[in-house]
Amino acid sequence: MLLPGFGAEGQARLAQSTVLVAGCGALGCGIADALARAGVGRLVLVDRDVVELTNLQRQTLFDHAQANAGLPKAVAAAERLALVNPEVALQPEIVDLGSGTIDRLAGTVDAIADGLDNFETRYLLNDAAVRWGIPLVYGGAVGLTGMCLPILPHPRHRRGPGGSVRWTEAESSPCLRCLFPEPPPPGASPTCDTVGVLGPVVAIVAALQSAHLLKLLTGQHATLDRRMACIDLGDNEFRFMDVSSAGPSEECPCCGLGEFSFLEGLAGGGTTTLCGRSAVQVTPAGDGASFDLAAVADRLQPHGRFERTRFMVRGSFAQERTATGQPISISLFGDGRAILHGIDEAERARALYARYIGS
Ligand SMILES: [Zn+2]
Protein backbone atom coordinates (compact mmCIF):
# COMPACT_ATOMS: atom_id res chain seq x y z
CA MET A 1 0.00 0.00 0.00
CA LEU A 2 2.97 2.30 0.55
CA LEU A 3 4.25 1.91 -2.98
CA PRO A 4 3.52 4.60 -5.55
CA GLY A 5 1.24 3.21 -8.26
CA PHE A 6 -0.27 0.63 -5.93
CA GLY A 7 -1.75 2.18 -2.79
CA ALA A 8 -5.10 1.19 -1.30
CA GLU A 9 -6.78 1.34 -4.70
CA GLY A 10 -4.19 -0.91 -6.34
CA GLN A 11 -4.42 -3.35 -3.48
CA ALA A 12 -8.19 -3.46 -3.88
CA ARG A 13 -7.79 -4.13 -7.59
CA LEU A 14 -5.40 -6.99 -6.86
CA ALA A 15 -7.90 -8.46 -4.41
CA GLN A 16 -10.54 -8.49 -7.14
CA SER A 17 -8.27 -10.09 -9.74
CA THR A 18 -7.96 -13.65 -10.96
CA VAL A 19 -4.78 -15.03 -12.52
CA LEU A 20 -4.38 -18.31 -14.35
CA VAL A 21 -1.05 -19.85 -13.39
CA ALA A 22 -0.48 -22.26 -16.26
CA GLY A 23 1.90 -24.90 -14.97
CA CYS A 24 2.97 -25.30 -11.34
CA GLY A 25 6.60 -26.16 -12.02
CA ALA A 26 9.51 -23.93 -11.15
CA LEU A 27 8.17 -20.72 -12.73
CA GLY A 28 4.60 -21.39 -11.65
CA CYS A 29 5.71 -21.90 -8.04
CA GLY A 30 7.57 -18.58 -8.03
CA ILE A 31 4.76 -16.65 -9.68
CA ALA A 32 1.94 -18.15 -7.57
CA ASP A 33 3.93 -17.46 -4.40
CA ALA A 34 4.55 -13.82 -5.32
CA LEU A 35 0.94 -13.21 -6.39
CA ALA A 36 -0.56 -14.85 -3.30
CA ARG A 37 1.67 -12.79 -1.04
CA ALA A 38 0.81 -9.62 -2.97
CA GLY A 39 -2.89 -10.25 -2.33
CA VAL A 40 -4.19 -11.29 -5.76
CA GLY A 41 -7.74 -12.45 -4.98
CA ARG A 42 -7.97 -15.73 -6.89
CA LEU A 43 -5.41 -18.06 -8.40
CA VAL A 44 -6.31 -20.83 -10.83
CA LEU A 45 -3.45 -23.30 -10.43
CA VAL A 46 -3.20 -25.72 -13.33
CA ASP A 47 -0.81 -28.64 -13.57
CA ARG A 48 -1.08 -32.14 -14.97
CA ASP A 49 1.69 -33.79 -12.98
CA VAL A 50 2.69 -34.90 -9.47
CA VAL A 51 5.46 -33.64 -7.18
CA GLU A 52 8.70 -35.63 -7.49
CA LEU A 53 11.85 -35.50 -5.40
CA THR A 54 13.89 -34.09 -8.32
CA ASN A 55 11.54 -31.06 -8.48
CA LEU A 56 12.55 -29.73 -5.09
CA GLN A 57 15.79 -28.13 -6.31
CA ARG A 58 13.74 -25.39 -8.02
CA GLN A 59 10.01 -25.80 -7.33
CA THR A 60 9.86 -23.74 -4.20
CA LEU A 61 6.31 -24.42 -3.01
CA PHE A 62 6.92 -28.16 -2.51
CA ASP A 63 8.53 -30.32 0.17
CA HIS A 64 9.71 -33.89 0.81
CA ALA A 65 6.45 -35.05 2.30
CA GLN A 66 4.52 -33.91 -0.78
CA ALA A 67 7.02 -35.62 -3.09
CA ASN A 68 6.87 -38.87 -1.10
CA ALA A 69 3.08 -38.75 -1.19
CA GLY A 70 3.15 -38.11 -4.95
CA LEU A 71 0.71 -35.26 -4.49
CA PRO A 72 -0.52 -33.52 -7.64
CA LYS A 73 1.42 -30.27 -8.05
CA ALA A 74 -1.72 -28.13 -8.30
CA VAL A 75 -2.98 -29.49 -4.98
CA ALA A 76 0.44 -29.30 -3.31
CA ALA A 77 0.83 -25.67 -4.42
CA ALA A 78 -2.65 -24.79 -3.12
CA GLU A 79 -1.89 -26.47 0.23
CA ARG A 80 1.20 -24.33 0.68
CA LEU A 81 -0.36 -21.07 -0.54
CA ALA A 82 -3.34 -21.50 1.79
CA LEU A 83 -0.86 -21.26 4.66
CA VAL A 84 0.88 -18.25 3.10
CA ASN A 85 -2.27 -16.20 2.57
CA PRO A 86 -5.58 -17.72 3.69
CA GLU A 87 -7.50 -14.85 2.06
CA VAL A 88 -6.62 -15.93 -1.46
CA ALA A 89 -9.17 -18.13 -3.23
CA LEU A 90 -7.26 -21.08 -4.63
CA GLN A 91 -8.55 -23.24 -7.43
CA PRO A 92 -6.26 -26.24 -8.01
CA GLU A 93 -6.88 -27.99 -11.33
CA ILE A 94 -5.26 -31.36 -12.03
CA VAL A 95 -5.73 -31.26 -15.77
CA ASP A 96 -3.79 -31.05 -18.97
CA LEU A 97 -4.22 -27.60 -20.51
CA GLY A 98 -5.54 -28.32 -23.98
CA SER A 99 -8.07 -27.07 -26.47
CA GLY A 100 -10.73 -29.04 -24.55
CA THR A 101 -9.99 -27.51 -21.15
CA ILE A 102 -8.68 -23.99 -21.80
CA ASP A 103 -12.16 -22.49 -22.20
CA ARG A 104 -13.20 -23.30 -18.67
CA LEU A 105 -9.84 -22.40 -17.13
CA ALA A 106 -8.87 -19.19 -18.94
CA GLY A 107 -12.26 -17.82 -19.92
CA THR A 108 -12.84 -15.83 -16.75
CA VAL A 109 -9.36 -14.69 -15.70
CA ASP A 110 -7.78 -11.23 -15.77
CA ALA A 111 -4.27 -12.34 -16.73
CA ILE A 112 -2.40 -15.48 -17.73
CA ALA A 113 1.01 -16.44 -16.36
CA ASP A 114 3.05 -18.84 -18.48
CA GLY A 115 4.77 -21.36 -16.23
CA LEU A 116 4.89 -24.08 -18.87
CA ASP A 117 7.57 -26.46 -20.02
CA ASN A 118 6.36 -27.08 -23.56
CA PHE A 119 5.72 -24.95 -26.62
CA GLU A 120 2.50 -26.49 -27.84
CA THR A 121 0.62 -25.46 -24.72
CA ARG A 122 2.39 -22.09 -24.74
CA TYR A 123 0.99 -21.42 -28.21
CA LEU A 124 -2.43 -22.47 -26.95
CA LEU A 125 -2.14 -19.80 -24.23
CA ASN A 126 -1.14 -17.26 -26.88
CA ASP A 127 -4.23 -18.14 -28.95
CA ALA A 128 -6.43 -17.76 -25.86
CA ALA A 129 -4.84 -14.43 -24.92
CA VAL A 130 -5.37 -12.97 -28.40
CA ARG A 131 -8.89 -14.38 -28.82
CA TRP A 132 -10.23 -13.36 -25.43
CA GLY A 133 -8.23 -10.17 -24.89
CA ILE A 134 -6.31 -11.29 -21.83
CA PRO A 135 -2.73 -10.22 -21.12
CA LEU A 136 -0.21 -13.06 -21.16
CA VAL A 137 3.18 -12.97 -19.50
CA TYR A 138 5.50 -15.39 -21.23
CA GLY A 139 8.43 -16.88 -19.33
CA GLY A 140 10.92 -19.68 -19.84
CA ALA A 141 14.06 -20.92 -18.14
CA VAL A 142 16.50 -23.69 -18.94
CA GLY A 143 20.14 -24.27 -18.11
CA LEU A 144 21.59 -20.94 -17.00
CA THR A 145 19.30 -18.87 -19.24
CA GLY A 146 15.85 -17.38 -19.00
CA MET A 147 13.46 -15.21 -20.99
CA CYS A 148 10.44 -13.10 -20.16
CA LEU A 149 8.01 -10.99 -22.20
CA PRO A 150 4.65 -9.40 -21.43
CA ILE A 151 2.11 -9.74 -24.26
CA LEU A 152 -0.80 -7.31 -24.69
CA PRO A 153 -2.46 -8.72 -27.81
CA HIS A 154 -3.85 -6.54 -30.59
CA PRO A 155 -7.64 -6.38 -30.24
CA ARG A 156 -8.54 -6.86 -33.93
CA HIS A 157 -9.62 -10.51 -33.49
CA ARG A 158 -10.85 -10.25 -29.95
CA ARG A 159 -14.08 -12.08 -29.08
CA GLY A 160 -15.56 -12.21 -25.62
CA PRO A 161 -15.51 -9.81 -22.74
CA GLY A 162 -11.86 -10.11 -21.66
CA GLY A 163 -10.89 -9.47 -18.06
CA SER A 164 -10.36 -6.36 -15.97
CA VAL A 165 -7.09 -5.38 -17.67
CA ARG A 166 -7.81 -3.03 -20.56
CA TRP A 167 -5.40 -1.48 -23.03
CA THR A 168 -5.55 0.56 -26.20
CA GLU A 169 -4.58 -0.53 -29.69
CA ALA A 170 -1.52 1.70 -29.40
CA GLU A 171 -0.51 -0.09 -26.20
CA SER A 172 -0.77 -3.55 -27.77
CA SER A 173 2.38 -5.54 -28.37
CA PRO A 174 3.65 -8.45 -30.49
CA CYS A 175 2.17 -11.82 -29.62
CA LEU A 176 4.25 -14.98 -29.38
CA ARG A 177 3.54 -15.88 -33.02
CA CYS A 178 4.53 -12.41 -34.26
CA LEU A 179 7.98 -13.29 -32.90
CA PHE A 180 8.06 -17.04 -33.50
CA PRO A 181 5.37 -17.99 -36.06
CA GLU A 182 5.64 -21.74 -35.40
CA PRO A 183 6.62 -23.65 -32.29
CA PRO A 184 9.89 -25.58 -32.50
CA PRO A 185 9.41 -29.25 -33.40
CA PRO A 186 9.10 -31.63 -30.42
CA GLY A 187 12.48 -32.58 -29.03
CA ALA A 188 14.25 -29.65 -30.73
CA SER A 189 14.63 -27.56 -27.60
CA PRO A 190 16.48 -28.47 -24.43
CA THR A 191 14.28 -28.87 -21.36
CA CYS A 192 14.90 -28.64 -17.64
CA ASP A 193 14.61 -32.41 -17.48
CA THR A 194 17.25 -33.01 -20.15
CA VAL A 195 19.87 -30.34 -19.42
CA GLY A 196 18.88 -29.07 -15.97
CA VAL A 197 18.23 -25.53 -14.78
CA LEU A 198 19.85 -23.37 -12.15
CA GLY A 199 17.30 -22.56 -9.43
CA PRO A 200 18.17 -18.85 -9.20
CA VAL A 201 17.66 -18.21 -12.93
CA VAL A 202 14.10 -19.46 -12.48
CA ALA A 203 13.67 -17.13 -9.50
CA ILE A 204 14.77 -14.15 -11.62
CA VAL A 205 12.38 -14.94 -14.47
CA ALA A 206 9.47 -15.68 -12.11
CA ALA A 207 10.12 -12.38 -10.31
CA LEU A 208 10.07 -10.43 -13.59
CA GLN A 209 6.87 -12.18 -14.67
CA SER A 210 5.26 -11.45 -11.31
CA ALA A 211 6.23 -7.77 -11.50
CA HIS A 212 4.68 -7.49 -14.98
CA LEU A 213 1.50 -9.16 -13.74
CA LEU A 214 1.17 -6.92 -10.69
CA LYS A 215 1.64 -3.81 -12.84
CA LEU A 216 -0.89 -4.99 -15.41
CA LEU A 217 -3.49 -5.87 -12.79
CA THR A 218 -3.15 -2.42 -11.21
CA GLY A 219 -3.26 -0.57 -14.53
CA GLN A 220 0.34 0.56 -14.55
CA HIS A 221 0.81 -0.04 -18.28
CA ALA A 222 2.91 3.11 -18.65
CA THR A 223 5.80 1.68 -16.66
CA LEU A 224 5.51 -1.86 -18.03
CA ASP A 225 8.78 -3.01 -19.57
CA ARG A 226 7.69 -4.27 -22.97
CA ARG A 227 11.11 -5.48 -23.96
CA MET A 228 12.02 -9.15 -24.02
CA ALA A 229 14.32 -9.88 -21.11
CA CYS A 230 17.03 -12.43 -21.89
CA ILE A 231 19.05 -13.50 -18.88
CA ASP A 232 22.22 -15.56 -19.08
CA LEU A 233 23.94 -16.41 -15.82
CA GLY A 234 26.64 -18.20 -17.82
CA ASP A 235 28.09 -15.07 -19.39
CA ASN A 236 26.45 -12.87 -16.74
CA GLU A 237 24.51 -10.77 -19.24
CA PHE A 238 21.07 -9.29 -18.76
CA ARG A 239 19.87 -8.24 -22.19
CA PHE A 240 16.65 -6.38 -22.93
CA MET A 241 15.52 -6.58 -26.54
CA ASP A 242 13.12 -4.10 -28.10
CA VAL A 243 10.70 -6.35 -30.00
CA SER A 244 8.18 -3.65 -30.95
CA SER A 245 9.20 -3.80 -34.63
CA ALA A 246 8.03 -7.45 -34.76
CA GLY A 247 4.39 -6.65 -34.12
CA PRO A 248 1.53 -6.63 -33.67
CA SER A 249 2.04 -7.81 -37.24
CA GLU A 250 -0.74 -8.03 -39.83
CA GLU A 251 1.04 -11.08 -41.20
CA CYS A 252 1.12 -12.89 -37.86
CA PRO A 253 -0.88 -16.12 -38.23
CA CYS A 254 -2.60 -15.48 -34.90
CA CYS A 255 -3.08 -11.79 -34.04
CA GLY A 256 -2.78 -10.68 -37.70
CA LEU A 257 -4.61 -13.30 -39.76
CA GLY A 258 -6.84 -14.57 -36.97
CA GLU A 259 -5.94 -18.27 -37.16
CA PHE A 260 -6.43 -19.96 -33.81
CA SER A 261 -5.19 -23.40 -34.73
CA PHE A 262 -4.07 -24.29 -31.21
CA LEU A 263 -7.30 -23.12 -29.61
CA GLU A 264 -9.35 -24.95 -32.21
CA GLY A 265 -7.22 -28.09 -32.05
CA LEU A 266 -9.30 -31.22 -31.85
CA ALA A 267 -9.95 -32.24 -28.27
CA GLY A 268 -9.53 -35.80 -29.42
CA GLY A 269 -7.01 -36.94 -26.85
CA GLY A 270 -3.60 -38.32 -27.68
CA THR A 271 -0.21 -39.00 -26.21
CA THR A 272 2.60 -36.73 -25.10
CA THR A 273 6.11 -37.96 -24.50
CA LEU A 274 7.32 -36.21 -21.36
CA CYS A 275 10.76 -35.22 -22.46
CA GLY A 276 13.78 -36.57 -20.63
CA ARG A 277 11.72 -38.46 -18.12
CA SER A 278 11.02 -41.78 -19.77
CA ALA A 279 7.34 -41.17 -19.36
CA VAL A 280 4.38 -40.88 -21.69
CA GLN A 281 1.09 -39.16 -20.96
CA VAL A 282 -2.06 -40.65 -22.44
CA THR A 283 -5.06 -38.34 -22.67
CA PRO A 284 -8.42 -39.88 -23.50
CA ALA A 285 -10.85 -38.10 -25.79
CA GLY A 286 -13.41 -35.75 -24.27
CA ASP A 287 -13.25 -33.62 -21.14
CA GLY A 288 -12.92 -36.54 -18.72
CA ALA A 289 -15.99 -35.53 -16.73
CA SER A 290 -17.52 -39.02 -16.88
CA PHE A 291 -14.37 -40.94 -15.97
CA ASP A 292 -14.94 -43.28 -13.01
CA LEU A 293 -11.65 -43.43 -11.11
CA ALA A 294 -12.99 -45.74 -8.39
CA ALA A 295 -14.20 -48.33 -10.89
CA VAL A 296 -10.93 -48.30 -12.78
CA ALA A 297 -8.98 -48.61 -9.51
CA ASP A 298 -10.94 -51.79 -8.72
CA ARG A 299 -10.23 -53.21 -12.16
CA LEU A 300 -6.51 -52.47 -11.84
CA GLN A 301 -6.11 -54.18 -8.46
CA PRO A 302 -5.42 -57.74 -9.71
CA HIS A 303 -2.70 -56.52 -12.10
CA GLY A 304 -0.11 -55.16 -9.68
CA ARG A 305 0.28 -52.94 -6.65
CA PHE A 306 -1.88 -49.86 -6.80
CA GLU A 307 -3.04 -47.36 -4.22
CA ARG A 308 -5.89 -44.93 -4.50
CA THR A 309 -5.62 -41.44 -3.02
CA ARG A 310 -8.13 -38.62 -3.03
CA PHE A 311 -6.83 -37.39 -6.38
CA MET A 312 -5.46 -40.35 -8.25
CA VAL A 313 -4.48 -43.98 -8.52
CA ARG A 314 -0.81 -44.84 -8.63
CA GLY A 315 1.22 -47.99 -8.59
CA SER A 316 3.06 -50.45 -10.79
CA PHE A 317 2.13 -53.36 -13.00
CA ALA A 318 3.21 -56.87 -12.06
CA GLN A 319 3.60 -58.13 -15.62
CA GLU A 320 4.69 -55.03 -17.53
CA ARG A 321 8.41 -54.30 -17.53
CA THR A 322 10.69 -51.61 -18.91
CA ALA A 323 13.60 -52.43 -21.21
CA THR A 324 15.81 -52.77 -18.14
CA GLY A 325 13.38 -55.06 -16.34
CA GLN A 326 11.88 -52.55 -13.91
CA PRO A 327 8.12 -52.61 -13.39
CA ILE A 328 6.28 -49.95 -15.37
CA SER A 329 4.37 -47.63 -13.09
CA ILE A 330 1.33 -45.48 -13.69
CA SER A 331 -0.24 -42.31 -12.30
CA LEU A 332 -3.91 -42.15 -13.23
CA PHE A 333 -5.92 -38.98 -12.62
CA GLY A 334 -9.59 -38.24 -12.12
CA ASP A 335 -10.01 -36.92 -15.66
CA GLY A 336 -8.87 -40.24 -17.13
CA ARG A 337 -5.42 -39.00 -17.98
CA ALA A 338 -2.54 -41.38 -17.26
CA ILE A 339 1.20 -40.92 -17.04
CA LEU A 340 3.09 -44.15 -17.69
CA HIS A 341 6.58 -44.08 -16.19
CA GLY A 342 9.46 -46.11 -17.55
CA ILE A 343 8.64 -46.10 -21.24
CA ASP A 344 9.35 -43.76 -24.14
CA GLU A 345 7.18 -45.18 -26.91
CA ALA A 346 3.76 -43.62 -27.45
CA GLU A 347 2.44 -46.82 -29.06
CA ARG A 348 3.28 -48.93 -26.05
CA ALA A 349 1.71 -46.36 -23.73
CA ARG A 350 -1.49 -46.35 -25.77
CA ALA A 351 -1.53 -50.15 -25.82
CA LEU A 352 -1.12 -50.38 -22.04
CA TYR A 353 -3.82 -47.78 -21.53
CA ALA A 354 -6.19 -49.67 -23.79
CA ARG A 355 -5.40 -53.00 -22.09
CA TYR A 356 -5.75 -51.94 -18.46
CA ILE A 357 -7.93 -48.84 -18.42
CA GLY A 358 -9.88 -49.04 -21.62
CA SER A 359 -9.99 -46.66 -24.53
ZN1 LIG B 1 0.90 -11.91 -33.40
Side-chain angles (χ1 to χ4, degrees), residues 189-268:
S189 309
T191 74
C192 295
D193 289 308
T194 54
V195 303
V197 63
L198 192 72
V201 82
V202 178
I204 295 169
V205 174
L208 285 175
Q209 287 182 277
S210 306
H212 289 329
L213 289 161
L214 293 174
K215 281 186 175 179
L216 284 167
L217 293 171
T218 51
Q220 301 181 63
H221 304 358
T223 61
L224 187 73
D225 188 350
R226 293 148 176 286
R227 297 172 300 173
M228 182 184 283
C230 301
I231 292 134
D232 189 335
L233 297 185
D235 64 10
N236 301 310
E237 289 285 353
F238 284 55
R239 300 180 184 87
F240 295 91
M241 288 160 45
D242 183 352
V243 292
S244 57
S245 62
S249 162
E250 286 178 19
E251 276 117 66
C252 168
C254 184
C255 75
L257 302 174
E259 294 166 10
F260 297 94
S261 43
F262 294 88
L263 204 55
E264 288 156 8
L266 295 174

Side-chain angles (χ1 to χ4, degrees), residues 126 130 173-179 246-249 252-256:
N126 187 70
V130 173
S173 66
C175 82
L176 206 55
R177 297 191 75 185
C178 291
L179 295 159
S249 162
C252 168
C254 184
C255 75

Side-chain angles (χ1 to χ4, degrees), residues 150-156 158 166-174 216 221-222 224 226 242-245 247-249:
I151 294 169
L152 292 173
H154 194 283
R156 64 168 78 86
R158 180 184 293 180
R166 299 298 160 117
W167 60 94
T168 63
E169 212 173 293
E171 286 175 317
S172 61
S173 66
L216 284 167
H221 304 358
L224 187 73
R226 293 148 176 286
D242 183 352
V243 292
S244 57
S245 62
S249 162

